[in-house]
Amino acid sequence: MPPQRTLRAQRSVIPGFGLTMGLTVLWLSLIVLIPLAALFLKTAELPLERIVTILTNPRTLNALKLSFGLSLAAAAINLVFGALIVWALVRYEFPGRRLLDALVDIPFALPTAVAGIALTNLYAENGWIGSLLAPFDIKVAFTPLGILVALVFIGLPFVVRTVQPVMEDLDAELEEAAATLGAGRWTTIRRVVLPAVLPAFLTGFALAFARAVGEYGSVIFIAGNLPNVSEIAPLLIVIRLEEFRYADATTIACAMLVASFALLFLINLLQRWSQSRTGRSA
């Protein structure tokens, strides 16, 4: 087919590419690019020695390690249990299925401060679950474990709502055909189900991780906020702003931004690799 004919065939029947593209670039610039550029320019005014001093401060390093480490752990936990929830919702009919499906969205709608207060009351030593764990010397509230619980709570819907449509589109007859051909349960999951949903898993993991890294409202109530112990990086940024140490705040924010972008870029590469192998998209 001649090149001109191919281009004419790909052109949309509804005109307006120039207008929509211009508005897209303008809106993304106003909402995303300009604020981020201002943040980097503010940090770039600092001498390199000052930036290194801020980032190598033990309190800063501990806050960054806590935020990113627990965010990755929470996203991994949500990946496992989110997959189980999706499987139950998609593959089985049972009483209360619609109610269970609606409950998944509660962390989306619930204000983060309300979620933090509820989790703190629940997991404090005199709370319903905290009192059961206290005899085993397990403390959740006001410890890093409490932060993990809060991050799992707010990240679960991102995995479920990303994987669920892909699982619904996956025909159950493929699993039955694999079983008919002699494949066991594990083989069917590994060779039929997993390759189809892997891109969606990676997308859900990335969304849950990104949401957890920036979470603030629900964490500060249950974390205890002890420096070098249970103080997350977003809280440290707020503390530096309240102390009028704007250079420290912008430098920590830039470090979080760069680290988050690097991790999300890596996950995106893995997602594209998975899509190229399976021919499916999330």
Side-chain angles (χ1 to χ4, degrees):
M1 183 179 294
Q4 289 184 348
R5 193 173 175 183
T6 303
L7 289 174
R8 189 177 298 117
Q10 291 175 348
R11 185 173 298 172
S12 172
V13 296
I14 302 176
F17 171 75
L19 178 62
T20 55
M21 190 62 186
L23 289 174
T24 299
V25 173
L26 175 63
W27 189 248
L28 287 178
S29 299
L30 291 174
I31 300 299
V32 180
L33 296 179
I34 293 177
L36 294 183
L39 182 67
F40 277 104
L41 290 175
K42 182 69 177 177
T43 306
E45 295 175 355
L46 299 174
L48 181 59
E49 294 79 7
R50 175 66 175 154
I51 295 175
V52 174
T53 301
I54 294 172
L55 293 180
T56 55
N57 181 281
R59 187 174 176 180
T60 303
L61 289 176
N62 287 327
L64 290 172
K65 284 191 291 186
L66 191 68
S67 288
F68 283 97
L70 292 181
S71 295
L72 285 171
I77 292 171
N78 278 327
L79 201 62
V80 175
F81 290 96
L84 292 176
I85 292 172
V86 170
W87 186 264
L89 291 175
V90 173
R91 285 292 184 261
Y92 304 106
E93 292 287 344
F94 53 87
R97 175 175 169 272
R98 292 184 180 276
L99 177 62
L100 183 63
D101 194 22
L103 287 176
V104 173
D105 291 330
I106 286 182
F108 274 148
L110 197 66
T112 55
V114 176
I117 293 172
L119 291 174
T120 304
N121 288 328
L122 193 62
Y123 286 97
E125 288 192 39
N126 57 351
W128 289 352
I129 298 179
S131 60
L132 298 175
L133 298 175
F136 301 99
D137 200 25
I138 299 175
K139 296 181 180 179
V140 178
F142 315 121
T143 67
L145 184 57
I147 300 174
L148 179 65
V149 171
L151 297 183
V152 169
F153 176 82
I154 57 101
L156 178 64
F158 290 90
V159 174
V160 174
R161 293 307 180 219
T162 305
V163 177
Q164 190 173 7
V166 180
M167 188 70 78
E168 288 174 343
D169 288 341
L170 184 63
D171 198 341
E173 291 182 358
L174 292 175
E175 301 157 24
E176 296 171 1
T180 304
L181 294 174
R185 292 179 178 178
W186 171 242
T187 303
T188 302
I189 292 174
R190 184 168 55 88
R191 303 294 293 273
V192 176
V193 178
L194 190 59
V197 299
L198 185 57
F201 272 145
L202 292 173
T203 301
F205 180 86
L207 292 175
F209 166 75
R211 179 71 177 85
V213 167
E215 177 58 17
Y216 175 81
S218 64
V219 173
I220 58 172
F221 291 97
I222 198 172
N225 308 321
L226 296 175
N228 300 313
V229 178
S230 58
E231 184 181 59
I232 58 173
L235 176 62
L236 183 58
I237 293 173
V238 174
I239 291 174
R240 294 301 187 227
L241 289 174
E242 291 175 345
E243 295 172 345
F244 303 104
R245 296 168 64 175
Y246 301 119
D248 292 39
T250 56
T251 303
I252 298 170
C254 281
M256 289 192 68
L257 186 62
V258 171
S260 298
F261 181 80
L263 284 171
L264 292 176
F265 181 72
L266 178 62
I267 294 171
N268 187 265
L269 288 179
L270 288 173
Q271 185 186 14
R272 288 182 179 276
W273 171 78
S274 175
Q275 289 174 356
S276 66
R277 285 175 58 87
T278 61
R280 285 174 175 267
S281 60

